[in-house]
Amino acid sequence: VLERTIKALDLADRLFINSYHRVDDIAWPLAKGAIAVVNRHSPLPDTVQPGVLNAHAGRAAYEYVCHATDDALAGKLRAVVTAPLNKAAMQLGGINYPGHTEILADRTGTAHFAMMLARTMKWNEWLTAGAAVGLMAAFFGLAVWKLL
């Protein structure tokens, strides 16, 4: 899907995919324009089309999040960044989580969790965000500050 997207956006002269089976196989630093993709799930069929619900794609989305989380917990990754998951496709693939937050919480054994969204803000919006973070810290305790 990424390779098709790169071609569709006419970025093939600037971006390319390096595919790996394990995080440990990645040769750092990456070449300019390289996108390292760790694919430990079985390859998706060529019939998978963006925007069309597919059980294979839904199951793969779940597996990718699980593998990335496991690699982060093992200290092989510094962070996990996700894009939107299609919950209907995940359900077709036999996955019944409402979304990322619940998958991550289950995978990490976290009982109390919340989602936090971020975006670029103007300076006056930082005051509101700072107040929200302060409230979160009061609610969740000092552990929030450790994460930030």
Side-chain angles (χ1 to χ4, degrees):
V1 173
L2 284 176
E3 288 172 343
R4 282 187 278 182
T5 302
I6 288 171
K7 287 177 186 173
L9 295 174
D10 198 27
L11 295 172
D13 60 331
R14 293 186 282 169
L15 298 175
F16 61 95
I17 305 296
N18 281 344
S19 188
Y20 304 92
H21 294 289
R22 301 176 318 133
V23 172
D24 299 332
D25 295 337
I26 300 173
W28 300 102
L30 294 175
K32 183 177 180 179
I35 301 172
V37 174
V38 179
N39 190 358
R40 295 194 310 189
H41 186 69
S42 51
L44 293 174
D46 290 335
T47 56
V48 172
Q49 295 296 316
V52 178
L53 289 178
N54 183 289
H56 294 290
R59 180 71 192 191
Y62 169 77
E63 294 292 338
Y64 295 145
V65 171
C66 289
H67 290 307
T69 304
D70 294 347
D71 285 340
L73 289 171
K76 296 177 181 182
L77 301 173
R78 294 184 190 171
V80 174
V81 178
T82 62
L85 298 179
N86 188 311
K87 281 63 169 186
M90 286 180 20
Q91 289 175 348
L92 284 175
I95 307 302
N96 292 312
Y97 286 95
H100 299 77
T101 307
E102 294 78 12
I103 295 169
L104 292 168
D106 189 39
R107 212 68 193 171
T108 60
T110 302
H112 304 285
F113 55 90
M115 181 189 313
M116 181 174 169
L117 302 175
R119 67 177 182 90
T120 304
M121 296 185 278
K122 297 176 185 169
W123 72 269
N124 59 340
E125 293 176 310
W126 280 103
L127 299 173
T128 305
V133 169
L135 289 172
M136 285 174 36
F139 182 75
F140 292 110
L142 294 177
V144 170
W145 294 112
K146 186 176 179 183
L147 294 174
L148 296 176

